[in-house]
Amino acid sequence: MRRKLAAGNWKMNGRTSDLDQIDALEAAHNDADVDILICPPASLLARMSARTTKIAVGGQDCHAATTGAHTGDISADMLIDAGATHVILGHSERRTDHGETDDDARAKARAALDAGLIAVICVGETLAEREAANTLDIISGQLAGSIPDAANGTNMVVAYEPVWAIGTGLVPSTDQIGEVHDFIRTKLEARFGEGVGRSVRLLYGGSVKGSNAAEIFAVSNVDGALVGGASLTAEAFSPIITALDAS
Ligand code: 13P
């Protein structure tokens, strides 16, 4: 059985005053039978993790090295030191803003697993790639390139985030989501064996909201969501957690 996961990616949003959103989420979902994860900016990690026991806290990136002369970067071990248990890697905004490749994502993921973090590895096609009917090839390449051999269902989560659905309000049809999630499951089973492949949680991400969450969570092989904009307030994120718990 895969435990469901509602994950929020705050991206470059959030100040000290936003930490009370965590108190509200914890109060509303203390009895929820799903995992809840928030990945705030690094500036809030330690204070957020000190504030909650119910909600897991994660980073949004880490360096592949453990320490050294890398100005502005943060290591997996530093994320753990700040209270993180997870880290998002290979997000399309890292790939676009910082030119990160599959090799970069895999090296970072290896460092994260070595340090003891759970890596949330993101894959997803652009609109041009979908329109050219290349979606499954792109996903296949990203999975092969970004996931390290040491990954399994305990230390890795895979998030399917079509680039064209992130922050746009556009959402793939449930058939399109199901096709990609089933494909990812098949690929993981082929690479890691059926048992491990079946144990990896698969999240959908891209314009998830309270209003569309239930239909997305009804799709096969969708084990939760990675939510951007609608994770920034307890008011917006709560209905998504409720829908996942009910699914
Ligand atoms: P939105 O939910 O804002 O579309 O962002 C999705 C995302 O990129 C989560 O990592």
Side-chain angles (χ1 to χ4, degrees), residues 15-37:
R15 302 289 187 275
T16 301
S17 57
D18 297 303
L19 288 171
D20 58 8
Q21 299 303 320
I22 298 305
D23 306 338
L25 277 180
E26 179 146 333
H29 301 287
N30 206 27
D31 297 327
D33 193 20
V34 301
D35 290 341
I36 303 170
L37 166 69

Side-chain angles (χ1 to χ4, degrees), residues 9 11 91 161 165-167 206-207 226-229:
N9 174 8
K11 308 189 180 184
H91 191 281
E161 299 206 310
I166 294 176
S207 298
L226 181 55
V227 183

Side-chain angles (χ1 to χ4, degrees), residues 18-19 22-23 45 47 62 65 77 84 114 123 125 133 137 151 154 160-161 165 176-177 192 203 217:
D18 297 303
L19 288 171
I22 298 305
D23 306 338
L45 261 178
R47 279 174 292 164
C62 70
D77 182 60
D114 283 350
V123 297
E125 82 287 0
D137 281 349
T154 306
Y160 168 53
E161 299 206 310
Q176 289 173 323
I177 295 173
F192 293 101
L203 308 183
F217 295 145

Side-chain angles (χ1 to χ4, degrees), residues 198-209:
R198 276 191 194 162
S199 69
V200 176
R201 291 179 289 179
L202 307 184
L203 308 183
Y204 168 77
S207 298
V208 177
K209 298 180 180 57

